[in-house]
Amino acid sequence: MSDPTAADGAGEGTRAVRAGLPEPVKYEPTLPGPVFAAHFHLPGEPTGPYTYGRDENPTWTHLERAVGELEAPGQDGVETLVFASGMAAISSVLFSQLRAGDTVVLPSDGYQALPLVRAQLEAYGIEVRTAPTGGDAQLAVLDGAQLLWIESPSNPGLDVCDIRRLAEAAHERGALVAVDNTLATPLGQRPLELGADFSVASGTKQLTGHGDVLLGYVTGRSGDPMTAVRRWRKIVGAIPGPMEAWLAHRSIATLQLRVDRQSATALAVAQALRGRREVTGLRYPGLVDDPSHQVASRQMRRYGCVVSFTLPTRARAERFLEELRLVDDATSFGGVRSTAERRGRWGGDAVPEGFIRLSVGAEDPEDLVADVLRALEESTR
């Protein structure tokens, strides 16, 4: 795992605490409160930055600068756009960059909403090809594609691909590259530095980390592709509320603290599960014997907060979840309170009935490990 200190000299904790803050003004708050406005004073020609609430908002501006400073520190010519949810951000890239007759490559093992996206893309006359994340399998179906969509680590299987290798191959073929960076966060990896054109994420998850905000974002290099994403946001109106944007910015200040704690505890949980006879298919990129560890260690600075594994049956998995005391049975991931679920209950993911996705929170590591192991024992009864 590489040095987490950024190239511009500022540590990641320092950057997270100060990201996106405006220049200090005497007697003004360091982080201005949310601006609730549908319209702004606009005499004469509309030449200022804020004209109408669907286009821009000062609270978004601070948050977008903050995310950009984390995704692409020290880089000029990079912009970030925030959205009402992660799916709004994903949709903005796919539907702004593709048109009838184009081809897109998606992961076959990605987020469970991608099959819904695929159906809509195909309804618009766009060819969709899929391949697994692991083993860089998407390389085999790249020829003729206009866009490659990468999800690394994949959700929920936690496979990892070589983003730089895939991005170079896609660009050689004239395709744009988007990376879903939700699970890694910008403190885990920076897709633009690995060659991607877009870094896309659900800020609902670990970026904001408290399970109380729906948010998404797209970060990319300034130019026609990002102009198209901005236009799509304006047309669709998939904008975040100012309160959500402000809460997200406030939460980013503790991102490095949360990510470090959660990643370390996730590794401890994964290590505790190794060798348990009832546990199969254990995955965590930070484990040295994980199939993805070698690739992950080259491109990730932290390995995330999610551990996945499979218990023998659906009933055993459900008993395990019922026995947990410090882990909520809930969907989503990345929050300060640990959550877990039997992922197969939703459908859409090609996982066994006993597959568990465990999101590690900020509890004391010893307490959480003890709770998981106790629940495993209790679930045998």
Side-chain angles (χ1 to χ4, degrees), residues 111 182 202-211 213 258 332-335:
Y111 180 51
T182 302
S202 168
T204 308
K205 311 300 194 297
Q206 198 172 19
L207 185 84
T208 57
H210 292 77
V213 171
R258 291 185 281 107
S332 197
F333 59 86

Side-chain angles (χ1 to χ4, degrees), residues 172-291:
E172 287 172 0
R173 293 162 172 81
L176 293 171
V177 178
V179 175
D180 186 328
N181 205 34
T182 302
L183 208 148
T185 81
L187 298 195
Q189 69 188 9
R190 299 190 192 113
L192 269 60
E193 292 182 0
L194 296 170
D197 300 288
F198 303 101
S199 180
V200 187
S202 168
T204 308
K205 311 300 194 297
Q206 198 172 19
L207 185 84
T208 57
H210 292 77
D212 53 9
V213 171
L214 287 174
L215 193 90
Y217 70 83
V218 178
T219 299
R221 304 191 190 286
S222 302
D224 291 343
M226 281 300 289
T227 298
V229 172
R230 183 182 293 275
R231 185 185 305 115
W232 181 264
R233 183 178 71 173
K234 177 182 177 72
I235 292 169
V236 177
I239 58 174
M243 191 65 195
E244 285 78 7
W246 184 85
L247 284 169
H249 196 172
R250 178 210 61 174
S251 299
I252 285 175
T254 61
L255 180 61
Q256 188 254 359
L257 298 173
R258 291 185 281 107
V259 167
D260 279 354
R261 175 62 169 261
Q262 290 170 263
S263 298
T265 306
L267 179 60
V269 170
Q271 290 171 332
L273 291 171
R274 292 164 79 184
R276 297 283 306 196
R277 64 183 182 278
E278 68 271 60
V279 171
T280 59
L282 174 65
R283 296 300 303 270
Y284 183 67
L287 288 172
V288 294
D289 56 352
D290 185 272

Side-chain angles (χ1 to χ4, degrees), residues 105-107 131-133 136-142 148-150 161 166:
V105 176
L106 301 179
T133 299
D136 299 342
Q138 290 174 301
L139 282 171
V141 293
L142 266 180
L148 168 63
W149 189 274
I150 294 170
C161 61
L166 284 166

